[in-house]
Amino acid sequence: MRMEKNKLTVKNKDGVWYIDFQKIIYLEFMDKKISLYTDDAQVVFSGTMGHVQDLLPPYFIRCHRGFIVNEHKIRNLNFGKNYLTVSSGKVIPISRSYKKVFREKIG
């Protein structure tokens, strides 16, 4: 996994994927695998969220132990109920431990 000019490059059993940062909606970490979601694809690969987060531009924000979201793809925020909704309609939790930092980055 590495970062190239405006793209994240990941390898999995299906080959090598070059994904534009702008197209990434969110990433989810589950069972030692990372699922990356765009409008038209889901790519599953091995890695750690910390390593992926280091490769992503600053507009990607960790909102939960298991989620990183693209700030530009957030459609709705509900800090009272600790969740957000992204452009695909997926509802993603905002954990208490990430809430303060998330709020500061969103502004």
Side-chain angles (χ1 to χ4, degrees), residues 89-104:
K90 170 79 172 172
V91 175
I92 296 173
I94 302 170
S95 70
R96 289 182 303 202
S97 57
Y98 286 97
K99 188 175 183 177
K100 183 179 178 186
V101 173
F102 184 80
R103 244 189 162 142
E104 289 171 0

Side-chain angles (χ1 to χ4, degrees), residues 17-34:
W17 297 81
Y18 302 95
I19 304 155
D20 288 332
F21 290 128
Q22 297 292 330
K23 292 186 176 189
I24 299 170
I25 301 171
Y26 69 96
L27 298 98
E28 180 177 10
F29 181 72
M30 188 181 300
D31 298 327
K32 299 183 183 178
K33 297 282 183 190
I34 298 172

Side-chain angles (χ1 to χ4, degrees), residues 32-43:
K32 299 183 183 178
K33 297 282 183 190
I34 298 172
S35 295
L36 181 152
Y37 294 88
T38 67
D39 288 327
D40 53 358
Q42 175 187 358
V43 180

Side-chain angles (χ1 to χ4, degrees), residues 5-99:
K5 194 174 188 176
N6 298 318
K7 293 182 188 238
L8 182 66
T9 303
V10 296
K11 292 181 189 178
N12 66 11
K13 63 182 168 90
D14 297 323
V16 179
W17 297 81
Y18 302 95
I19 304 155
D20 288 332
F21 290 128
Q22 297 292 330
K23 292 186 176 189
I24 299 170
I25 301 171
Y26 69 96
L27 298 98
E28 180 177 10
F29 181 72
M30 188 181 300
D31 298 327
K32 299 183 183 178
K33 297 282 183 190
I34 298 172
S35 295
L36 181 152
Y37 294 88
T38 67
D39 288 327
D40 53 358
Q42 175 187 358
V43 180
V44 179
F45 58 97
S46 297
T48 66
M49 288 295 265
H51 180 66
V52 172
Q53 190 170 13
D54 290 342
L55 297 174
L56 295 170
Y59 54 86
F60 283 87
I61 306 170
R62 191 134 182 201
C63 62
H64 187 276
R65 177 172 45 99
F67 290 93
I68 297 174
V69 296
N70 180 339
E71 177 182 357
H72 304 297
K73 302 289 184 174
I74 296 171
R75 188 169 54 189
N76 179 44
L77 281 168
N78 188 325
F79 284 115
K81 294 188 178 178
N82 296 323
Y83 72 84
L84 61 87
T85 307
V86 291
S87 59
S88 66
K90 170 79 172 172
V91 175
I92 296 173
I94 302 170
S95 70
R96 289 182 303 202
S97 57
Y98 286 97
K99 188 175 183 177

